Amino acid sequence: MSSSAGPNANPIILAARKYAWRYVGNVAFWIQRFTGLALVAYLIVHVHTIHDLRDPETFDAALAMFGKPLFKLAEIGLLATVILHALNGIRLTMIDLGVGLTRQRQAFWYFAIGLGAVLFLAGAIPMFIYGILRHS
Amino acid sequence: MTGRAINWYLQRITGAALLVLLVMHFWVEHFSAEARTPTGLTFEIIQRRFFNNHWFVAVDLSFLFIALYHGLNGVRNILLDYTWGVRMKKPITAMLLLLGVFVAYWGVTAFIGNPHLQQISTTITANR
Amino acid sequence: MATYQIKLARSDTDAARHFTLELDSRMTVLDALFIIQREHDPSLSFRCSCRVGMCGTCAMRINWMPRLACQTRVETLNADAITIEPLAQLPVAKDLIVDLGPFFEKWKRVRPALHPKDKDSKQLAIVPPDSEFGRQAQVKRDCITCGACYSVCGITGSNSEYLGPAAINRAMLRLLDPRDGNVDDRLAVLNDETGVWRCHTQFNCVAACPKGINLTDSIMKMKRSLLFPKKFHDKQAAT
Ligand code: SF4
Ligand code: FES
């Protein structure tokens, strides 16, 4: 028998092991919480911009500003936020309905993250090409 | 059924509704032919679209109300997860309600009673 | 035999925390604690009673995850360094012992004991194994009140009033039990702002429960039942 019991308990590896699979529901919870808060903040700012429809000049100035590459990049970030919140939201709703409770970790990785990445790329690539590369 | 159960249930229902509305909203604002012009969206395009099709207003306003409910109810849920949040439940609910009404007012008045949208509509009616 | 570096949480800051032990790989963490107590530091405090995983007193954090010390063989940790701490989110009494007071205060709130519909009934209750109660009770009555689920839940951490998974699971079993008659009190506790509605399906409790109880499933069942609580009232009405 070997005199050493196994790999050293590196705190980083232990934490990764813990949160990447065993406690991944907790990670999903925090993602849902922070993306949700970000979306509420965005919603309020967004409605504020739309309110400027009452004043066409301000509105067009605002739109011109949002057309800048920096804001287009932020918009791609918004897409990622929405996709994460939506797909994880579907996962949570299934859990609420009592579907797939024993497979919630797979649902997080394959559905929310995996499918989410595919959807994100499908949306982000055209947004990047039309919004940033073709800009000006 | 109690208020809390209905609240929980509505959060799911509005979430599902937002999924549909959001896809529509994203499509209209980012991928439709009008939005893919070199200048992108302008006041003009939006105005033309809204005048020609009141469904846009209907969809966008229902999107606004549902998103506000879903979002602010979510914030309320987060605050209630704290011991002090449950103790201050009434003021928290009142504040969020106020904020919701305020933002909804912003959104609604952008379309309804907007003098600039009004102006065009009368001109076009006159031209017919 | 293999060498293990053991690091303990101690409430006395001067007490020894690092120990190097030669352990047989089949030994449990509880065995290691006894060796430390007998051979190195008799002042070390920890709690255990049954040593077979049925009393729930030996739950502690072993390498950052709550486990039953008596049921965790050192070999299965797959590491030669073992960190042992008391359960989180509960007041520490001494060293590895936590005060489960808050946990049991909530446990009591759901009225965990049977409140029989008919106190004088001499009849044995028949629970068909494929009835809802039969199916749910199979695994979910195995709770040994170790407090592991309570100690990892994010909501018990932020909201000191939240019932916690184990109490809700217990309330569900009592509500489904055809012999039990106290529906309204239990539903009222569950439907409180600090009841089931605080659960946001983090699944930490499920990952932590040494008995493999799917607590989130119980909590979600209760949420759905509170939307349509009729079946419990029907149960209460039936004699
Ligand atoms: S439900 Fe599981 S983790 Fe929670 S107290 Fe019971 S046995 Fe322990
Ligand atoms: S000593 Fe009883 S469960 Fe470990």
Side-chain angles (χ1 to χ4, degrees):
Chain A
M1 217 168 237
S2 75
S3 64
S4 176
N8 224 337
N10 181 331
I12 297 175
I13 293 175
L14 277 174
R17 224 191 274 159
K18 180 174 166 182
Y19 286 109
W21 190 252
R22 210 177 139 134
Y23 286 92
V24 78
N26 197 25
V27 176
F29 162 81
W30 284 110
I31 290 179
Q32 194 71 357
R33 192 142 277 206
F34 282 121
T35 53
L37 284 173
L39 289 174
V40 170
Y42 172 76
L43 177 70
I44 294 173
V45 175
H46 186 54
V47 174
H48 182 261
T49 314
I50 298 298
H51 184 67
D52 285 343
L53 276 174
R54 293 185 78 88
D55 181 359
E57 267 146 48
T58 327
F59 185 75
D60 276 345
L63 279 198
M65 183 174 78
F66 293 143
K68 293 233 166 68
L70 186 67
F71 283 98
K72 286 285 169 191
L73 210 60
E75 212 167 72
I76 294 177
L78 175 70
L79 180 72
T81 314
V82 167
I83 289 176
L84 272 178
H85 194 85
L87 293 186
N88 193 41
I90 295 175
R91 166 180 164 272
L92 293 178
T93 308
M94 298 312 274
I95 291 167
D96 287 331
L97 294 172
V99 181
L101 268 105
T102 51
R103 299 181 66 77
Q104 56 94 10
R105 296 176 173 110
Q106 285 88 338
F108 175 75
W109 277 114
Y110 302 148
F111 181 70
I113 300 294
L115 180 65
V118 173
L119 290 180
F120 171 69
L121 287 179
I125 291 172
M127 279 167 88
F128 187 73
I129 292 174
Y130 290 107
I132 298 176
L133 291 187
R134 297 258 174 98
H135 181 79
S136 71
Chain B
M1 273 204 219
T2 64
R4 282 172 204 138
I6 293 169
N7 222 17
W8 168 76
Y9 190 62
L10 274 184
Q11 188 75 352
R12 272 73 200 162
I13 299 290
T14 52
L18 282 177
L19 209 64
V20 179
L21 288 166
L22 190 82
V23 172
M24 285 165 69
H25 189 76
F26 248 61
W27 184 261
V28 166
E29 310 304 339
H30 292 285
F31 299 106
S32 68
E34 294 152 300
R36 278 192 278 111
T37 57
T39 42
L41 278 179
T42 58
F43 178 78
E44 244 235 87
I45 294 176
I46 291 178
Q47 189 186 41
R48 216 177 322 123
R49 199 197 269 164
F50 278 114
F51 177 67
N52 286 337
N53 196 341
H54 283 287
W55 284 107
F56 277 113
V57 184
V59 169
D60 269 13
L61 284 187
S62 42
F63 185 45
L64 172 68
F65 295 142
I66 296 177
L68 270 179
Y69 172 81
H70 188 86
L72 296 179
N73 191 37
V75 173
R76 184 171 172 272
N77 275 337
I78 293 176
L79 295 176
L80 289 181
D81 283 346
Y82 294 87
T83 316
W84 54 265
V86 175
R87 283 198 197 116
M88 313 228 301
K89 190 174 115 180
K90 287 225 170 93
I92 285 173
T93 311
M95 293 271 284
L96 289 174
L97 207 66
L98 217 64
L99 178 66
V101 170
F102 188 65
V103 177
Y105 175 78
W106 266 355
V108 171
T109 50
F111 300 121
I112 294 172
N114 183 336
H116 298 280
L117 289 179
Q118 216 57 46
Q119 209 180 350
I120 294 264
S121 62
T122 37
T123 338
I124 296 179
T125 324
N127 285 350
R128 260 186 204 156
Chain C
M1 298 296 264
T3 313
Y4 289 86
Q5 306 292 333
I6 307 222
K7 186 176 163 214
L8 300 178
R10 305 294 301 265
S11 17
D12 179 358
T13 40
D14 296 331
R17 340 180 136 243
H18 297 274
F19 302 89
T20 306
L21 300 186
E22 283 286 314
L23 299 175
D24 187 298
S25 57
R26 288 164 302 176
M27 282 179 164
T28 64
V29 172
L30 192 62
D31 294 326
L33 290 175
F34 272 118
I35 292 174
I36 294 174
Q37 197 186 45
R38 285 189 189 138
E39 295 172 10
H40 299 274
D41 185 352
S43 74
L44 174 65
S45 302
F46 56 92
R47 189 162 46 195
C48 75
S49 353
C50 71
R51 302 206 202 177
V52 289
M54 55 177 277
C55 72
T57 52
C58 68
M60 53 189 75
R61 258 182 306 161
I62 301 166
N63 279 359
W64 291 279
M65 300 196 202
R67 310 173 208 250
L68 297 178
C70 70
Q71 296 298 293
T72 308
R73 284 189 298 138
V74 287
E75 158 190 75
T76 59
L77 293 171
N78 193 26
D80 54 17
I82 304 175
T83 306
I84 309 174
E85 297 154 298
L87 288 182
Q89 290 174 183
L90 287 160
V92 177
K94 181 165 185 278
D95 294 346
L96 304 175
I97 301 176
V98 289
D99 173 9
L100 283 167
F103 172 81
F104 282 113
E105 188 252 307
K106 277 113 182 229
W107 179 259
K108 271 189 233 150
R109 235 199 273 165
V110 299
R111 295 167 178 79
L114 185 75
H115 291 193
K117 266 196 282 198
D118 178 6
K119 281 202 191 65
D120 306 318
S121 171
K122 293 276 180 288
Q123 271 191 330
L124 287 175
I126 297 166
V127 178
D130 57 345
S131 66
E132 194 186 1
F133 177 56
R135 268 184 289 116
Q136 292 302 320
Q138 285 292 330
V139 185
K140 287 174 176 166
R141 68 175 165 200
D142 285 354
C143 173
I144 52 176
T145 60
C146 66
C149 52
Y150 188 93
S151 78
V152 287
C153 175
I155 309 301
T156 50
S158 62
N159 192 327
S160 58
E161 299 294 310
Y162 173 49
L163 282 178
I168 296 175
N169 179 61
R170 180 62 164 219
M172 182 193 79
L173 287 180
R174 288 302 180 224
L175 280 165
L176 289 177
D177 194 330
R179 297 164 298 172
D180 190 275
N182 190 349
V183 169
D184 292 334
D185 284 351
R186 294 198 175 96
L187 283 184
V189 180
L190 292 183
N191 193 22
D192 191 76
E193 211 62 88
T194 54
V196 289
W197 309 117
R198 292 278 66 71
C199 172
H200 301 298
T201 58
Q202 294 177 332
F203 286 93
N204 290 0
C205 50
V206 185
C209 177
K211 288 295 174 182
I213 299 175
N214 196 332
L215 294 142
T216 308
D217 181 59
S218 304
I219 302 173
M220 289 304 116
K221 279 205 167 56
M222 284 300 96
K223 284 190 179 179
R224 292 199 294 277
S225 301
L226 281 168
L227 203 54
F228 303 106
K230 191 173 168 293
K231 77 168 176 193
F232 296 126
H233 293 121
D234 287 353
K235 179 199 95 172
Q236 195 170 33
T239 36

